[in-house]
């Protein structure tokens, strides 16, 4: 490929697209990623997955903190690129950057635009109980995720999907879609279509405040929350002052319960907890400072913790 391409991305989600380009023999003239950040318990400066991959393949890596300086703007412009591919970069690009490449900047976004613009499209599609999601390749413009869309590809959301498994699915789909349509985009043989603003929705970022489970909600709602917050920040439930992380649970019955949070049973399948509508069977959980375990094994090892007890919730009996 004769055209000069810049790649900008940071997390594992972006690495899948960069790896696909490299496997196809497409080497970016420069790779932009976020600067090294403190990570894990030691808080040592750690390179992004994109930086590690790019250096393994001998690519030029640039890690500006931002594009506010004239030096950084000129450095980008002086690459005289034909196109910049942006995948989960983590930085809002100024107008000069968006217009610097001959064909501008395109973005691989993890939703079926115009739905779920914003920070957490993958998690929000799962939290909202969508039956499908997908990726869109769009032209980047100054307004958030509002550019014209070249193509969208969809995948179904499985009843066992978590945000983690959806990230993996969409990372692969995004890379495949990028490779399939990169040639036509560079050749100008595919036209981007404006988004329907009347159908636009916003995907707010995920926060730790969302983690506590409220058993006054339905079992279906809590199932979606548990899956949507996995692998971060992980849903929690409190019993006798102890906050447990809940990694996996399934709705097992329907019907109204007078006492949401009540432990209905515990046995070889897990711990069944009453919800406002239906009940939730907890399968995998974790105590503070311990490893994750099967809820059934944990309950059998210390039944006194669960028998006749209620998990906390914002419920007041009338």
């Amino acid at each position: 490929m004769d055209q000069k391409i810049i790649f900008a991305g940071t997390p594992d989600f972006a690495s899948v697209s960069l790896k696909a380009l490299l496997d196809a023999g497409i080497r970016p003239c420069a790779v932009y990623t976020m600067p090294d950040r403190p990570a894990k318990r030691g808080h040592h400066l750690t390179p992004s997955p994109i930086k590690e991959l790019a250096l393994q393949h001998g690519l030029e890596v640039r890690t500006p903190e931002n594009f506010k300086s004239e030096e950084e703007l000129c450095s980008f412009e002086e690459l005289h690129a034909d196109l910049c591919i942006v995948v989960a970069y983590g930085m809002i690009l100024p107008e000069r950057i968006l217009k610097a490449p001959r064909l501008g900047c395109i973005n691989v976004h993890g939703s079926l635009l115009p739905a779920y613009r914003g920070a957490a499209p993958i998690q929000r599609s799962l939290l909202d109980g969508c039956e499908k999601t997908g990726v869109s390749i769009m032209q980047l413009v100054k307004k958030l995720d509002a550019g014209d869309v070249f193509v969208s590809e969809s995948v179904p959301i499985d009843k066992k999907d978590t945000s983690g498994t959806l990230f993996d699915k969409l990372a692969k789909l995004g890379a495949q879609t990028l490779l399939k349509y990169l040639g036509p985009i560079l050749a100008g043989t595919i036209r981007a279509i404006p988004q329907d603003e009347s159908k636009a929705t916003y995907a707010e970022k995920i926060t730790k405040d969302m983690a506590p489970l409220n058993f006054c909600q339905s079992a279906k709602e809590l199932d979606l929350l548990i899956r949507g917050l996995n692998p971060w920040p992980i849903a929690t439930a409190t019993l006798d002052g102890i906050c447990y992380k809940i990694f996996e649970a399934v709705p097992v019955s329907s019907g109204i319960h007078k006492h949401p949070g009540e432990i209905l049973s515990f046995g070889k399948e897990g711990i069944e907890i009453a919800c406002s509508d239906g009940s939730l069977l907890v399968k995998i959980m974790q105590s503070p400072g311990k490893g994750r375990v099967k809820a059934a094994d944990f309950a059998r090892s210390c039944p006194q913790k669960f028998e006749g007890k209620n998990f906390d919730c914002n419920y007041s009996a009338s």
Side-chain angles (χ1 to χ4, degrees), residues 17 52 102 112 118 131 153 170 177-178 192 226 233 237 312:
S17 286
E52 290 184 332
R102 179 175 61 87
L112 299 172
E131 294 184 354
E153 298 281 358
L170 294 182
T177 307
L178 176 63
I226 291 166
D312 291 353

Side-chain angles (χ1 to χ4, degrees), residues 2 4 16 23 25 35 40 53 73-74 84 90 97 100 139-140 142 198 215 229 235 241 243 253 257 276 290 303 313:
D2 295 332
K4 293 181 70 176
V16 181
D23 288 346
K40 301 181 180 179
L53 178 60
L73 290 167
C74 289
C84 177
I97 295 297
Q139 191 81 45
L140 272 178
K142 192 171 182 179
S198 69
F215 292 98
L229 300 186
C243 183
S253 68
H257 290 282
S276 65
K290 306 290 185 179
C313 70

Side-chain angles (χ1 to χ4, degrees), residues 60-95:
E60 179 184 350
V61 177
R62 301 182 178 185
T63 58
E65 194 69 50
N66 53 55
F67 285 101
K68 293 182 179 180
S69 72
E70 184 68 18
E71 180 182 359
E72 288 295 351
L73 290 167
C74 289
S75 179
F76 188 96
E77 291 169 335
E78 288 168 0
L79 289 168
H80 300 294
D82 294 287
L83 183 71
C84 177
I85 298 169
V86 181
V87 186
Y89 183 22
M91 186 189 303
I92 296 176
L93 300 176
E95 194 78 13

Side-chain angles (χ1 to χ4, degrees), residues 23-304:
D23 288 346
I26 302 169
R27 292 178 60 84
C29 62
V31 171
Y32 279 78
T33 190
M34 296 298 286
D36 297 0
R37 302 296 191 202
K40 301 181 180 179
R41 291 186 178 180
H43 298 290
H44 301 296
L45 287 177
T46 304
S48 72
I50 281 291
K51 181 178 180 179
E52 290 184 332
L53 178 60
L55 291 176
Q56 288 170 10
H57 288 266
L59 300 175
E60 179 184 350
V61 177
R62 301 182 178 185
T63 58
E65 194 69 50
N66 53 55
F67 285 101
K68 293 182 179 180
S69 72
E70 184 68 18
E71 180 182 359
E72 288 295 351
L73 290 167
C74 289
S75 179
F76 188 96
E77 291 169 335
E78 288 168 0
L79 289 168
H80 300 294
D82 294 287
L83 183 71
C84 177
I85 298 169
V86 181
V87 186
Y89 183 22
M91 186 189 303
I92 296 176
L93 300 176
E95 194 78 13
R96 275 179 65 178
I97 295 297
L98 296 177
K99 292 183 176 180
R102 179 175 61 87
L103 297 171
C105 302
I106 63 171
N107 175 240
V108 180
H109 183 75
S111 82
L112 299 172
L113 292 169
Y116 298 108
R117 297 174 179 177
I122 298 174
Q123 298 98 316
R124 290 291 176 181
S125 65
L126 183 49
L127 289 168
D128 288 348
C130 296
E131 294 184 354
K132 68 177 182 178
T133 185
V135 296
S136 301
I137 298 181
M138 67 172 175
Q139 191 81 45
L140 272 178
V141 294
K142 192 171 182 179
K143 185 177 179 181
L144 180 66
D145 298 334
D148 295 352
V149 175
F150 289 99
V151 63
S152 293
E153 298 281 358
S154 65
V155 291
I157 297 179
D158 187 82
K159 290 183 178 181
K160 291 186 178 181
D161 270 326
T162 64
S163 288
T165 62
L166 271 188
F167 265 89
D168 292 342
K169 286 182 181 180
L170 294 182
K172 292 177 182 177
L173 180 63
Q176 293 166 358
T177 307
L178 176 63
L179 277 184
K180 182 177 179 181
Y181 290 96
L182 181 58
I185 290 172
L186 288 167
T189 57
I190 181 173
R191 185 170 67 92
I193 306 298
Q195 297 184 41
D196 184 346
E197 289 292 327
S198 69
K199 297 181 180 178
T201 59
Y202 180 66
E204 292 187 57
K205 68 179 182 179
I206 302 301
T207 67
K208 289 184 178 180
D209 293 341
M210 298 169 63
L213 296 177
N214 180 357
F215 292 98
C216 292
Q217 294 180 277
S218 71
K220 182 179 179 180
E221 289 172 319
L222 295 182
D223 170 51
L224 292 174
L225 186 62
I226 291 166
R227 292 192 286 129
L229 300 186
N230 186 348
W232 189 90
I234 302 297
T236 61
T238 301
L239 178 68
D240 286 343
I242 299 174
C243 183
Y244 297 94
K245 291 184 176 181
I246 309 299
F247 288 86
E248 182 183 337
V250 293
V252 292
S253 68
S254 60
I256 304 301
H257 290 282
K258 292 184 178 180
H259 302 289
E262 179 184 0
I263 297 175
L264 301 175
S265 66
F266 54 91
K268 63 179 181 179
E269 297 300 324
I271 301 170
E272 186 178 358
I273 306 168
C275 305
S276 65
D277 183 359
S279 60
L280 197 69
L281 186 66
V282 174
K283 308 284 282 186
I284 305 293
M285 63 191 300
Q286 183 178 7
S287 302
K290 306 290 185 179
R292 67 180 72 179
V293 296
K294 290 182 178 180
D297 294 341
F298 184 43
R300 282 198 298 267
S301 69
C302 46
Q304 71 280 0

